[in-house]
């Protein structure tokens, strides 16, 4: 052989074959890992399906083909190196067999270059193709990672929302529990307050009975029968009520004869008020207060030549339930007043007068029927009240006021039907136990007894405020009655035709907080 002849180095060819096999193995590994990634994550939707379709139809087969071709080329390279060794060993003189620079006679390749160049070119082409597949895998892996990241973010946000929801629900639950705890404490407080209030009522009733008995004796007076009986009834009822309240742990609180605390609302103007032109019309002013609704006091102002005069109209009992409610004109108010104590009704009338803004210095006349008359007598027995409101006159009808110590400065007209039972409930101011009593009247006190409007046994008609008493007043010829009516006219409480008087009226709702 000439020295210009060259031969392929079998070891370099075998090294190339190993590189090709390694590349094929790496591509197979990439294919397997990517297949697991493409099909292994939990994803759905058009984009995911497109990615999986492209992988299965294009890129996975491409990686497989490239890996298979690289393996084939590696096998052919090893075969070529083995053939070179055989040729070299059979050459005379041994050693390395020469080949022309145009190529090896045993290469089996094309004539444009050596086998190494050809294999390198093929491997490069295949590697580029594999690289494209790997790049696609990388892109898809990035997309998958982004998708997974987005899903993770969504899950995190959802988890955060769930945590917020749980927090809100937890806060709501704690708030609900707090409210229930507060309600429970409030309920227990209410129950305790009910029991305490019931026993306080027993204490108040007991003090009232003491004032009517022992207190009266200490003041130098023998107990009055009506006051003792009324106070005893109140105490017995209050004791029963306290037992019921305590026995039910405050869940049932009948408030038997519990007089509570007074209140009075804002005055409401009366449209076209009645003109008090006579005593009977004054009495019908009380009937008007009855008709205005439960718990109303009517305050009429006569602005005449003698200046303003005010008439306070107080109705009688409107509720008979022993369980004390909002209306103080009830059985409880009767027992408290008859027992000699200041009732909530009396205090509520004072509040109503305060709210009505009675003109300063105006003379005041108090008028009441039945329990209303008892309230009038109670208030006018208080010199401080009489002085503060300049009370000059008081008129009652169908009212038991014999035991009242009305201030002697007040001119009183007391009227009753012959067989009206109610005015006789005070037993003529008899002394306990039913000892003879006497009328507690001053020189300023006028008492008039009318004939019954009907049968002596018709208790309802004999106590009626709407017709019976006003009719009896209008038809009375009793000298004391007529003299009292004239004094009212002279004082400016009664209007006369053409005297230029202006009449206004207000209704004030009064009640009991209990």
């Amino acid at each position: 052989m000439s020295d210009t002849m060259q031969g392929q180095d079998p070891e370099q060819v075998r090294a190339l074959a190993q590189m090709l096999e390694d590349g094929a193995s790496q591509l197979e590994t990439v294919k397997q890992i990517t297949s697991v990634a493409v099909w292994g994550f939990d994803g759905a939707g058009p984009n995911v399906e497109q990615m999986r379709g492209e992988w299965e139809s294009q890129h996975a087969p491409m990686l497989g083909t490239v890996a298979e071709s690289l393996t084939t080329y590696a096998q052919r390279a090893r075969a070529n190196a083995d053939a070179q060794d055989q040729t070299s060993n059979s050459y005379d003189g041994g050693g390395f067999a020469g080949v022309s620079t145009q190529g090896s006679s045993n290469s089996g390749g094309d004539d444009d270059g050596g086998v190494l160049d050809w294999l390198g070119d093929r491997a490069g082409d295949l590697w580029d193709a594999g690289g494209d597949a790997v790049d696609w895998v990388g892109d898809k892996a990035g997309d998958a990672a982004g998708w997974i990241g987005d899903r993770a973010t969504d899950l995190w946000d959802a988890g955060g929302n769930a945590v917020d929801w749980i927090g809100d629900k937890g806060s709501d639950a704690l708030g609900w529990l707090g409210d229930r705890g507060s309600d429970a404490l409030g309920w227990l407080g209410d129950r305790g307050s009910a029991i305490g209030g019931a026993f306080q009522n027993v204490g108040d009733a007991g003090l009232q009975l003491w004032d009517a008995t022992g207190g009266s004796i200490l003041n130098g007076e023998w107990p009055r029968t009506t006051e003792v009986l009324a106070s005893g009834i109140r105490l017995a009822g209050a004791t029963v009520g306290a037992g019921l309240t305590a026995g039910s742990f405050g869940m049932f609180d009948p408030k038997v004869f519990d007089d509570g605390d007074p209140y009075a609302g804002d005055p409401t103007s009366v449209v076209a008020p009645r003109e008090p032109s006579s005593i009977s019309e004054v009495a019908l002013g009380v009937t008007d207060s009855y008709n205005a609704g439960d718990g109303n006091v009517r305050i009429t102002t006569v602005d005449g030549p003698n200046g303003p005069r005010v008439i306070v109209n107080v109705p009688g009992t409107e509720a008979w339930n022993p369980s004390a409610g909002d209306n103080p004109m009830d059985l409880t108010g009767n027992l408290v007043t008859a027992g000699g104590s200041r009732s909530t009704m009396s205090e509520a009338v004072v509040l109503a007068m305060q709210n009505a803004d009675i003109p300063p210095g105006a003379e005041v006349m108090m008028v009441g029927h039945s329990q209303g008359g008892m309230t009038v007598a109670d208030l006018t027995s208080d010199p401080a009240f009489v002085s503060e409101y300049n009370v000059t006159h008081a008129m009652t009808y169908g009212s038991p006021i014999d035991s009242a110590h009305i201030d002697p400065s007040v001119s009183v007209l007391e009227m009753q039907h012959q067989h009206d039972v109610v005015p006789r409930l005070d037993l003529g101011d008899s002394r306990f136990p039913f000892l003879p009593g006497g009328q507690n009247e001053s020189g300023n006190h006028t008492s008039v007894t009318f004939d019954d409007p009907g049968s002596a046994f018709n208790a309802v008609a004999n106590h009626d405020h709407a017709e019976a008493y006003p009719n009896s007043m209008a038809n009375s010829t009793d000298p004391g009655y007529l003299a009292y009516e004239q004094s009212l006219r002279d004082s400016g409480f009664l209007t006369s035709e053409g005297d230029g008087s202006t009449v206004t009226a207000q209704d004030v709702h009064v009640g009991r907080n209990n």
Side-chain angles (χ1 to χ4, degrees):
M1 294 289 295
S2 170
D3 292 339
T4 60
M5 296 295 290
Q6 298 179 358
Q8 62 181 351
D9 186 344
E11 295 304 321
Q12 290 183 358
V13 174
R14 290 189 178 94
L16 176 59
Q18 185 61 48
M19 291 175 60
L20 295 176
E21 286 183 344
D22 291 343
S25 177
Q26 291 175 7
L27 290 176
E28 283 293 339
T29 301
V30 169
K31 176 183 174 183
Q32 293 173 2
I33 293 174
T34 304
S35 291
V36 171
V38 169
W39 292 100
F41 76 94
D42 183 14
N47 293 335
V48 175
E49 295 302 323
Q50 179 183 358
M51 179 187 72
R52 287 172 174 166
E54 290 179 1
W55 169 253
E56 290 296 328
S57 64
Q58 302 178 29
H59 303 292
M62 181 182 296
L63 286 175
T65 299
V66 172
E68 183 178 352
S69 297
L70 289 176
T71 301
T72 300
Y73 293 148
Q75 292 172 350
R76 292 169 67 178
R78 283 197 177 87
N80 190 278
D82 292 342
Q84 180 64 51
D85 285 340
Q86 292 176 2
T87 301
S88 298
N89 290 334
S90 63
Y91 181 71
D92 291 342
F96 189 75
V99 293
S100 70
T101 58
Q102 301 298 314
S104 170
S105 60
N106 298 322
S107 67
D110 59 36
D111 295 333
D112 294 333
V115 65
L116 292 178
D117 292 336
W118 183 86
L119 288 173
D121 291 340
R122 299 292 76 72
D125 293 340
L126 291 171
W127 190 259
D128 290 340
D132 292 339
V134 171
D135 289 341
W136 181 90
V137 171
D139 291 339
K140 295 306 166 183
D143 293 341
W147 184 87
I148 292 172
D150 291 340
R151 298 296 77 73
T153 300
D154 292 342
L155 289 173
W156 183 261
D157 291 341
N161 292 335
V163 170
D164 290 341
W165 182 86
I166 291 172
D168 291 340
K169 299 302 107 173
S171 178
D172 292 343
L174 290 176
W176 183 87
L177 289 174
D179 290 340
R180 298 297 76 73
S182 178
D183 291 343
L185 291 176
W187 183 87
L188 290 173
D190 290 342
R191 302 292 75 76
S193 177
I195 295 172
F199 281 99
Q200 180 180 348
N201 184 39
V202 172
D204 292 341
L207 287 176
Q208 177 178 313
L209 180 58
W210 165 255
D211 289 339
T213 54
S216 180
I217 293 174
L218 291 177
N219 288 332
E221 295 183 357
W222 195 252
R224 286 175 167 80
T225 304
T226 301
E227 291 183 359
V228 174
L229 290 177
S231 299
I233 293 172
R234 185 191 178 195
L235 176 59
T239 301
V240 171
L244 293 173
T245 303
S248 65
F249 195 63
M251 297 183 66
F252 175 61
D253 184 14
K255 297 186 181 298
V256 178
F257 304 145
D258 188 347
D259 206 22
D261 299 311
Y263 72 86
D266 294 328
T268 302
S269 295
V270 177
V271 178
R274 180 185 303 274
E275 293 220 6
S277 57
S278 64
I279 288 180
S280 61
E281 289 296 320
V282 171
L284 285 172
V286 175
T287 298
D288 291 339
S289 67
Y290 273 111
N291 295 335
D294 288 351
N296 277 289
V297 173
R298 176 159 296 189
I299 300 176
T300 302
T301 301
V302 179
D303 196 354
N306 296 322
R309 299 292 185 267
V310 177
I311 303 172
V312 179
N313 303 278
V314 186
T317 305
E318 295 175 336
W320 292 96
N321 193 331
S323 179
D326 176 78
N327 191 349
M329 304 173 191
D330 62 355
L331 181 56
T332 299
N334 273 309
L335 291 176
V336 174
T337 304
S341 295
R342 176 61 59 89
S343 68
T344 289
M345 178 59 192
S346 296
E347 294 177 350
V349 170
V350 175
L351 293 177
M353 295 172 66
Q354 292 175 356
N355 292 352
D357 291 329
I358 294 175
E363 293 183 5
V364 174
M365 176 182 182
M366 307 290 295
V367 181
H369 168 253
S370 192
Q371 181 185 355
M374 295 169 62
T375 300
V376 168
D378 177 38
L379 291 174
T380 54
S381 296
D382 181 0
F385 171 81
V386 170
S387 174
E388 179 179 0
Y389 286 97
N390 194 22
V391 180
T392 59
H393 293 76
M395 186 179 96
T396 71
Y397 51 106
S399 303
I401 65 167
D402 288 342
S403 299
H405 298 270
I406 297 177
D407 191 281
S409 66
V410 178
S411 180
V412 180
L413 174 62
E414 176 190 359
M415 297 169 284
Q416 61 188 13
H417 281 126
Q418 185 176 3
H419 290 99
D420 186 356
V421 176
V422 176
R424 292 167 174 76
L425 290 176
D426 59 2
L427 304 175
D429 194 31
S430 68
R431 306 297 176 172
F432 188 82
F434 303 105
L435 297 177
Q439 296 296 323
N440 182 26
E441 297 179 359
S442 68
N444 239 2
H445 191 123
T446 302
S447 295
V448 177
T449 300
F450 302 124
D451 291 336
D452 294 330
S455 168
F457 301 102
N458 191 340
V460 174
N462 292 334
H463 191 63
D464 174 56
H465 64 82
E467 294 184 5
Y469 269 110
N471 288 339
S472 295
M473 295 174 193
N475 296 319
S476 177
T477 59
D478 183 272
Y481 172 87
L482 294 176
Y484 192 88
E485 186 173 53
Q486 185 60 47
S487 71
L488 289 178
R489 196 176 306 281
D490 294 341
S491 298
F493 286 102
L494 302 183
T495 62
S496 300
E497 187 176 353
D499 66 359
S501 297
T502 301
V503 179
T504 58
Q506 304 175 90
D507 284 334
V508 182
H509 178 73
V510 296
R512 174 194 289 128
N513 288 316
N514 203 346

